[in-house]
Amino acid sequence: MTPIRLRTGRGGKRRLSTRILANQLVILALTGLIGFILFAFAQRAELDRSYEQRALAISRTAAAEPQIKQAMEDGGGGDAVQAVAERIRRASRASYVVVIDLHGVRHSHPIPALIGEPVAEPVVVKDGRAHVGTDQGATGRSANAKAPLYGPSGALVGEVSVGMPERDVLGELWRELPTFGLYATLATAIGAAAAYLLARRLKRTTFGLELEEIAGLLQDREAMLHGIREGVVAFDPDGRITVVNDEARQLLGFGNALGRRLEEVMPEGRLRHALDGTLTGSDVSVLTDDHCLVVNRMPVTLHGRELGAVVTVRDRTELIGLLRELDSVRGLTDALRAQQHEFTNRMHTLAGLLDIGEHESAYEYAIETARSGQALTEAVRRHIGNPLMVGLIVAKTTVAAERGVRIVLTDDSALGDDPPHLRRLLTIVGNLLDNAIDATAEAPPCDDARQIGLTLVESDELIFVRVADSGPGIAPGSSQSIFEDGWSTRPERDTARRGLGLALVHRLVQRNGGTITVSEGPGAVFTVVLPHPDSAPAPAPAPAPAPRDALISTALPTGGDR
C-alpha cells in the first residue's frame, strides 16, 4: 500500500523560525538589560556596605589613638586632636575624620572653621555601640561610620565620625561595570545561539510549517475528522493511538483510547489484526457483532521518516446487505426464468395434445403438473410447521434444482410453528444452504453426487441443525479458519463480497450460547446446536443419517463462502 506523504508549504509574512529567533533575542536583550541594572544597584549597595565598614575601621582606629583619648578626657581637645585626626584622614583618604564630645561639639574637622561648632544630629554612640550609614555633610555625600570614644579611664568621652567620599564608591562601581557588561553580553550571545538552534529544531519538528499553516491544518483536521462518515484512527511510531474521530469511536467501541496501545483497548481478534497491520492488503473485511467493516491501513512517512500509520474504517453493513439482497434477487430471477421455460414447454405439450384430439391425455397431464409443485410444499410442511421456514426451504429448492442440486430433508426433521431464535435460525439455515449449494454444484454431474442433506430438530431444550453436502469438503486443518471474516475458496462476485456468510453464522451461534462445528475432508457437514433462550447450552445426540430422497428448497441465495 502506498504510504501517505505529507507536503509542507510556505505561508505567512515571516518564517516561524525567524519570528521565534527575533522574539527570543528581544527577550534576551530585555532580561540582560534588566539583569545588568539590578546587578549594578546590588553592586552599589555592596560597595556602600564595604565603604561603611572601611569608615568604621578608620573611626575605631582614630578612637584608639592615645593622644585623642587623653585630650578628650581632659576636656581640652585642642590642636592635638585636630592634628591627629587630619593625619588619619589624609592617610586613609577619608572625606572627614571628626572628633565630637558628648555635647555634640566638634574638636576636629577638615574645615577648620567648623571646629568648636555643634553638629546638627545628636550623639548616637551614647549606647556604647558603633553606627554606620550614609551622611550628607558639609563635605558632600559620604559613607559614614561612628565609633564610641573612651578616655584612658574607660569613660565614654565622645565619638569619632568618619566619612568615605561617594565619588570613591561610584568610581569603583564604574570600574567594575564594564566587566559586568561583558558578562551580560556574553550571556546574551550564548542565549542567542541557543535560541537560533532551538528555532532550527522547531522548524524541523514542524516540517517547515508556519504558525498560520499549523493553525489552519488543525482547523481543517478537526473539521475533516469529525465531519466525515468514515472512521479514522492514527498511530504514532510506537503504536500508540493519537487520533480517533467520532465515527471510529462508534464503529470500534473506543472509549478513552488516546495515548494507549491498541492491545490495551481492544481484545485479540481479526479486527485488532486489521488495525495493527498484521492483516495486510486493501479493503480488509471485518465482521463485528453490529457492523460489517472495511479496514485500510496506510503508513505515514515524511522526508524518509516513519511517522506512524493512519487507519480508515468504513461501515459497509447496509451496502453489503443490499448487494447480497441484489444477488439473491438475481438468483431468484434466474430461477423464475428457468421455471418460465419449463412452464412454456408444458403449455406447448398441453396445446399439442389438445390439437391432436388427445383430450384425456391432456387432462391427465395437466392434473399431474399441478400436483407436482403442491406435493413439494406438502412434503416440507409434514416436517416443518413454521411458514417462514417452509417458504425459505421451498424457495431454496427451486434455486438448487436449477443448478442440478437436490436437497434432502431427513425424515426425523421436526420444527414447530413458533420455534425460538426464528429470525436467527432463518439466517443460519439460509447461509449454510447457500454454501452447500455452491459447493455441491461443483461436484461431477452425477444424480447421486449432487445432493444436500438438511436436518432440523426442535426439542424441549435446543434446536439442532445439520447441513451435509457432497462437495469437495473442507481441507484438513481449516475447520476453525473457515469461520473467520473473509475466508473463502471461491472468487469474489461483482455484487457480493465472499467470506462473510459463515462468519455471520458463527457469530450468531456464539452470541446465543450455541455451538457450530464442521467436518474435514470430502463432503462438509455443518452441525449447529442452539439452546433455548431460557436454558443452558447442552450438546444433543446426532440424529440418524437422513435419507437422500426428500426434496427441500432453499432461501434466496446470499452468496457462499467456500
Side-chain angles (χ1 to χ4, degrees):
M1 187 173 295
T2 304
I4 297 177
R5 299 187 180 272
L6 299 179
R7 294 185 297 175
T8 60
R10 292 290 181 267
K13 296 180 180 180
R14 289 191 301 170
R15 296 168 59 185
L16 175 61
S17 57
T18 303
R19 278 184 277 180
I20 292 176
L21 180 59
N23 291 332
Q24 288 182 326
L25 289 178
V26 171
I27 293 173
L28 286 173
L30 289 177
T31 53
L33 179 60
I34 294 173
F36 178 79
I37 294 174
L38 293 177
F39 187 81
F41 276 104
Q43 189 65 18
R44 168 64 187 273
E46 182 64 27
L47 289 174
D48 284 342
R49 288 191 294 271
S50 176
Y51 273 76
E52 288 170 358
Q53 293 301 317
R54 288 175 61 181
L56 179 60
I58 295 172
S59 65
R60 286 174 174 173
T61 300
E65 280 291 328
Q67 294 180 2
I68 295 178
K69 295 171 63 176
Q70 186 65 47
M72 292 301 295
E73 188 175 35
D74 293 343
D79 295 336
V81 174
Q82 171 72 1
V84 175
E86 283 298 300
R87 177 172 54 82
I88 294 174
R89 183 185 67 81
R90 290 190 295 269
S92 62
R93 296 183 180 180
S95 177
Y96 57 84
V97 177
V98 180
V99 180
I100 305 170
D101 60 21
L102 295 179
H103 300 290
V105 178
R106 298 183 182 94
H107 291 267
S108 67
H109 199 280
I111 303 175
L114 295 179
I115 296 176
E117 297 293 330
V119 295
E121 65 274 5
V123 178
V124 296
V125 297
K126 291 181 179 181
D127 58 0
R129 294 183 302 171
H131 295 266
V132 296
T134 302
D135 177 51
Q136 184 66 41
T139 60
R141 184 178 177 85
S142 304
N144 177 259
K146 297 177 181 179
L149 177 60
Y150 296 93
S153 62
L156 181 65
V157 295
E159 70 177 13
V160 178
S161 178
V162 177
M164 300 299 296
E166 186 179 7
R167 61 180 178 273
D168 293 345
V169 179
L170 294 177
E172 186 169 348
L173 177 62
W174 282 107
R175 287 191 296 273
E176 293 181 359
L177 284 181
T179 303
F180 302 152
L182 178 61
Y183 292 157
T185 303
L186 182 60
T188 303
I190 295 175
Y196 176 75
L197 295 178
L198 177 61
R200 288 179 58 86
R201 180 177 178 84
L202 289 176
K203 178 182 177 181
R204 290 195 301 268
T205 304
T206 58
F207 304 105
L209 294 175
E210 306 302 331
L211 290 176
E212 293 81 2
E213 292 176 312
I214 295 175
L217 285 177
L218 179 60
Q219 294 174 355
D220 294 343
R221 191 197 77 159
E222 291 300 313
M224 177 190 67
L225 287 180
H226 301 290
I228 62 176
R229 295 299 303 273
E230 184 170 305
V232 178
V233 183
F235 298 89
D236 64 10
D238 297 328
R240 298 188 180 276
I241 300 173
T242 57
V243 173
V244 181
N245 70 342
D246 296 338
E247 188 72 10
R249 293 182 189 276
Q250 177 185 355
L251 296 177
L252 303 177
F254 280 168
N256 185 17
L258 293 179
R260 304 171 65 184
R261 295 183 179 275
L262 192 60
E263 56 268 20
E264 299 175 7
V265 297
M266 180 170 290
E268 177 74 17
R270 178 177 173 84
L271 180 57
R272 197 176 91 181
H273 294 163
L275 294 176
D276 63 17
T278 304
L279 293 178
T280 59
S282 60
D283 290 344
V284 178
S285 298
V286 179
L287 192 66
T288 67
D289 292 341
D290 302 312
H291 304 282
C292 178
L293 305 177
V294 175
V295 180
N296 284 281
R297 179 184 173 95
M298 294 158 285
V300 181
T301 60
L302 180 64
H303 302 319
R305 283 193 296 165
E306 294 289 339
L307 303 181
V310 174
V311 177
T312 58
V313 182
R314 286 170 287 170
D315 186 6
R316 290 288 186 87
T317 306
E318 294 184 4
L319 179 60
I320 293 298
L322 291 174
L323 291 177
R324 293 171 71 87
E325 184 176 351
L326 177 61
D327 194 68
S328 299
V329 173
R330 178 180 296 176
L332 180 59
T333 302
D334 294 338
L336 292 176
R337 185 180 296 110
Q339 287 184 342
Q340 179 185 4
H341 287 295
E342 182 180 358
F343 180 77
T344 302
N345 292 332
R346 290 177 178 179
M347 291 298 100
H348 289 165
T349 302
L350 184 61
L353 290 174
L354 293 175
D355 287 340
I356 64 176
E358 294 290 337
H359 299 89
E360 187 68 23
S361 298
Y363 176 76
E364 293 177 358
Y365 181 75
I367 295 299
E368 180 183 355
T369 302
R371 288 178 177 176
S372 61
Q374 186 176 2
L376 174 63
T377 303
E378 292 299 327
V380 176
R381 285 186 178 274
R382 286 197 297 268
H383 300 278
I384 308 298
N386 184 265
L388 294 179
M389 184 61 71
V390 172
L392 175 73
I393 297 174
V394 170
K396 290 292 186 182
T397 301
T398 304
V399 177
E402 294 303 326
R403 300 183 64 180
V405 177
R406 298 177 64 235
I407 300 178
V408 177
L409 182 61
T410 60
D411 290 338
D412 56 351
S413 296
L415 193 67
D417 295 338
D418 188 19
H421 307 293
L422 177 59
R423 293 190 177 277
R424 301 177 181 87
L425 191 62
L426 291 171
T427 301
I428 292 171
V429 173
N431 278 279
L432 291 180
L433 286 178
D434 284 336
N435 282 280
I437 292 172
D438 287 340
T440 307
E442 297 176 357
C446 175
D447 292 340
D448 295 335
R450 290 186 172 183
Q451 63 181 13
I452 300 169
L454 172 64
T455 302
L456 287 173
V457 177
E458 178 185 0
S459 67
D460 295 336
E461 297 181 351
L462 53 85
I463 296 177
F464 180 88
V465 180
R466 183 173 63 185
V467 177
D469 63 58
S470 56
I474 305 300
S478 302
S479 59
Q480 295 300 322
S481 60
I482 65 171
F483 298 113
E484 295 179 358
D485 308 345
W487 189 94
S488 179
T489 60
R490 299 174 63 84
E492 297 285 346
R493 286 184 292 187
D494 294 336
T495 58
R497 181 176 294 276
R498 295 284 186 178
L500 298 179
L502 289 179
L504 177 60
V505 171
H506 185 261
R507 285 183 178 274
L508 286 175
V509 172
Q510 284 195 330
R511 287 173 61 184
N512 291 275
T515 60
I516 179 171
T517 58
V518 61
S519 65
E520 297 181 355
V525 178
F526 287 86
T527 304
V528 176
V529 177
L530 280 177
H532 285 200
D534 55 351
S535 64
R548 295 183 174 268
D549 57 354
L551 291 180
I552 59 176
S553 71
T554 57
L556 301 180
T558 57
D561 291 328
R562 285 182 286 139

